[in-house]
Each structure stands twice: as C-alpha cells, then as structure tokens.
Amino acid sequence: MSTKDVVLEQLIKSGGSALSGAKLAQELCLSRTAVWKAIEELRRDGYQISAVTNRGYTLVEQGDRLSLPAIRSFLRRKPTADQIRLYDSLESTNQTAKQLALEGAPSGTIVLADEQIGGRGRRGRSFFSPAGTSVYFTVVFRSELAADRAVMITTAASVAVARAIDRITGGEPRAQIKWINDVYLGGKKVCGILTDAVTNMENGSFEYIVVGIGINVNNKEEDFPEEFRSRAGSLFSVTGKRYDRNRMAAALADEIADILPVFSSGDYLKEYRSRSCVLGRAIQIFGGGHDGTPATAVDIDDHGYLLARGQQGELYTLNSGEITIRSR
Ligand code: BTN
C-alpha cells in the first residue's frame, strides 16, 4: 500500500478520534513531513480531514470514493485485502482480470474499478458502468472442475451477491435471483454477472475462470439509460438509502471467498432456489434454439440447470440462454 493508503487506514481505524502527526509518524515509521504530505494528498483526493492543534487529524468525511484501506476495514477476512487490485477506470474489470490470470495471478485475485469505459454484459451487450455509483468487481478463479460445470460457478456467485446485498441493506426487501444469475431487489435488476472461462482443450477442464459482477449501488433511477429504466435499479433507487460502496465491495469479497471454494458441493443450491424469483412463473426462453418459447419455470436441478415445462407438457432442461418473465 502507498503511504497515503496506510495513513488513511490509520485514520479509518481510529474511528473518528484525533490522531496526532507525531503518533502517526511513529506508528507507521514515517517522517512527520511524509505524514503531512499524505494528508494533503488525501485532501486533494476529496477526503475531508480536520486538523486541530495539539490533538491531531480526524477523518471527517470519506466521500464516496472506493479505497483499499476502507475496504480492508470492512472485510471479515482481512488477508483478502492483499488480493484486491483497485483501479480508477478500466475498459472492463473482466478484461483486466483475464490479463492478470494469463500472467499467473492466483485464484482469488480481485479486480475492482470505480468506472468501466467498455463494461460488458452477456450476449455481447454493453454494461452501463458510470463512475462514483457502483461496484464493478471481477474475481479470478482457478479450478480443476470440468468445463461443463460453469453454471454451478455462476449460480454460486449469484447467491454470494444476494447474501452480500442483504448484509448491506439489512435484507429488506430480500435479494432475489432470476435464473441464471441476475440479482433483483424489489423487482428491479440491481446486479448482472458475466462469467468468462478459458478451457484446456486437452482435458476439458478450466484453465481459469473470471466471474465479473456489477452491482448498482447509489445510482438514481433517472441516471439509467432510458431503455433500461423500467427493469434496472440500484440499492438506492429501491430502498431510498445510500450505501458505502467500500462496505459493499468488502461484503462481496467476503461472500465470494466463502462460497467459491465449496461451490462444487452444491450446498448453496437450496438457498438459490429459495431466492429464485422465477420458479412457478410463466417465462419465455431465448437462446439454445429458443426464440421466445413460452413455458413455466418448475425447478432448478442439482447442476443449477433450469427445468421448464412447455405448453404441450414437454420438459426443457436449460443450461444456457436467457429467460424473461411473462405477465400472464
Ligand atoms: C449482464 O447482466 O449482462 C452481465 C453484466 C456483467 C457486468 C460486470 S461489471 C464487472 C464485470 N466487467 C464487465 O465488463 N462486466 C462484468
């Protein structure tokens, strides 16, 4: 971490009590001038830091900036902080994560960005990714698992997202999942997940997988492009409350770190089903030979596949493609 980041971490840890320049310098093995310079840099970055003679520095207001020290202060699993790489702006966190994975980044490496210039969604769509509002997060995952189990990873990730959102909002309303991996809150899509994998052609297993997650946190409804407005929302637009994105990123990192190593057991599927907003609903199926096939979603099987009953009673088992919910 940079000097600026370690000073910020100490100010966050002090929980609003003043820290003298001398104490900061001593604890961090820095000169007082280095501490002063770091404070000035932090102020330029938008942190409000008050300085009172004979008492010291206090972090008054963090603003809404993503910062590693703040994320670390909220993490349940502190070592995760060393695996996080935070950027102001990227083309796409999935793209950077893939590059890092190619260069040998270990499983668990997390790429976070405040903004994406070319955020990507499923089926070649773009993902609206403005600065200062959301969490764009990609985790690198290495697994020996056969490539045809990708659905399990992506469904496990959606449970992790739903748990993280509930931790932040208090669970009211409860986060729900629309198969395969869109996370909804109060009837609005607040998160999309894009899983990219590179497979080993020789043995059919994964070389590496990147799971990209975009959570709309503090976006106002009117900020969404008009074509998404009826479906898309943010935690703020649904609950009326603003949330700390550092807290959201930390909760997500914790939940992902909890679920990914054990996803192949399928233990999370019970929760996935209970969070499903499609079971029992009339749907339309797209992709995999379907172009709007009407059906009813009946179950999620132990592979994370969706079982849907067609209008002639035929059973579809879906492991890819997309569904929309029909109003009857
Ligand atoms: C979708 O709903 O179509 C999936 C959207 C996935 C968006 C996330 S944001 C972080 C990561 N980087 C990307 O470019 N896409 C994913």
Side-chain angles (χ1 to χ4, degrees):
M1 280 207 284
S2 64
T3 306
K4 184 175 79 170
D5 279 354
V6 287
V7 168
L8 178 59
E9 186 170 17
Q10 291 301 315
L11 290 172
I12 292 170
K13 273 193 193 149
S14 79
S17 345
L19 277 180
S20 74
K23 189 154 184 243
L24 273 167
Q26 193 191 15
E27 279 184 5
L28 301 174
C29 299
L30 294 168
S31 67
R32 294 203 37 193
T33 315
V35 169
W36 177 80
K37 278 191 181 155
I39 297 280
E40 287 305 301
E41 261 188 77
L42 288 167
R43 284 179 172 149
R44 277 197 297 276
D45 284 351
Y47 293 95
Q48 265 188 51
I49 299 170
S50 71
V52 177
T53 320
N54 296 330
R55 292 193 56 217
Y57 299 110
T58 311
L59 181 60
V60 182
E61 169 69 61
Q62 287 194 50
D64 193 26
R65 289 183 66 85
L66 282 173
S67 83
L68 271 183
I71 293 171
R72 183 202 286 270
S73 73
F74 294 125
L75 279 171
R76 249 188 350 222
R77 294 164 165 263
K78 299 292 177 202
T80 303
D82 301 329
Q83 300 180 300
I84 302 178
R85 301 182 188 216
L86 173 63
Y87 302 82
D88 280 341
S89 180
L90 286 179
E91 181 74 20
S92 149
T93 53
N94 271 27
Q95 190 191 64
T96 300
K98 274 194 256 179
Q99 186 57 40
L100 293 172
L102 269 175
E103 292 163 9
S107 199
T109 301
I110 291 168
V111 176
L112 263 173
D114 183 46
E115 167 191 52
Q116 298 185 116
I117 320 278
R120 294 176 39 228
R122 283 200 311 272
R123 298 164 78 85
R125 290 187 287 247
S126 59
F127 186 75
F128 176 61
S129 308
T133 56
S134 310
V135 168
Y136 313 116
F137 175 112
T138 300
V139 61
V140 174
F141 184 53
R142 296 183 188 275
S143 156
E144 297 287 292
L145 213 78
D148 61 1
R149 308 305 297 278
V151 175
M152 296 283 276
I153 294 169
T154 206
T155 47
S158 60
V159 171
V161 170
R163 287 177 183 168
I165 290 178
D166 282 355
R167 248 172 79 184
I168 296 305
T169 61
E172 192 45 58
R174 189 174 190 233
Q176 291 192 297
I177 301 168
K178 175 175 157 285
W179 189 87
I180 280 181
N181 57 15
D182 288 336
V183 181
Y184 275 64
L185 197 68
K188 297 279 187 176
K189 175 172 166 175
V190 294
C191 168
I193 302 178
L194 178 66
T195 307
D196 286 326
V198 169
T199 46
N200 180 323
M201 298 305 278
E202 277 170 30
N203 62 13
S205 71
F206 290 119
E207 204 81 64
Y208 62 82
I209 300 150
V210 298
V211 184
I213 298 167
I215 304 181
N216 303 327
V217 181
N218 290 322
N219 317 60
K220 295 192 203 114
E221 198 176 316
E222 60 268 28
D223 293 343
F224 288 103
E226 210 169 328
E227 67 265 33
F228 304 138
R229 228 170 270 166
S230 59
R231 279 174 290 130
S234 69
L235 308 196
F236 169 72
S237 74
V238 173
T239 66
K241 293 186 199 136
R242 291 178 64 79
Y243 299 93
D244 184 334
R245 289 184 300 146
N246 294 300
R247 208 183 267 277
M248 182 73 253
L252 183 57
D254 279 334
E255 296 296 343
I256 285 283
D258 281 348
I259 214 165
L260 278 190
V262 295
F263 81 93
S264 58
S265 68
D267 287 352
Y268 68 91
L269 279 166
K270 193 164 169 236
E271 180 173 344
Y272 182 95
R273 291 182 192 104
S274 82
R275 289 186 183 271
S276 172
C277 60
V278 304
L279 291 182
R281 307 277 300 270
I283 59 169
Q284 274 185 292
I285 309 170
F286 295 88
H290 297 275
D291 186 21
T293 307
T296 302
V298 287
D299 203 359
I300 313 278
D301 74 8
D302 290 342
H303 298 100
Y305 297 174
L306 179 70
L307 307 182
R309 183 76 61 195
Q311 289 189 321
Q312 313 306 325
E314 69 280 26
L315 189 66
Y316 300 114
T317 304
L318 308 175
N319 64 1
S320 63
E322 252 185 24
I323 58 166
T324 57
I325 298 174
R326 283 185 289 152
S327 38
R328 288 200 203 243

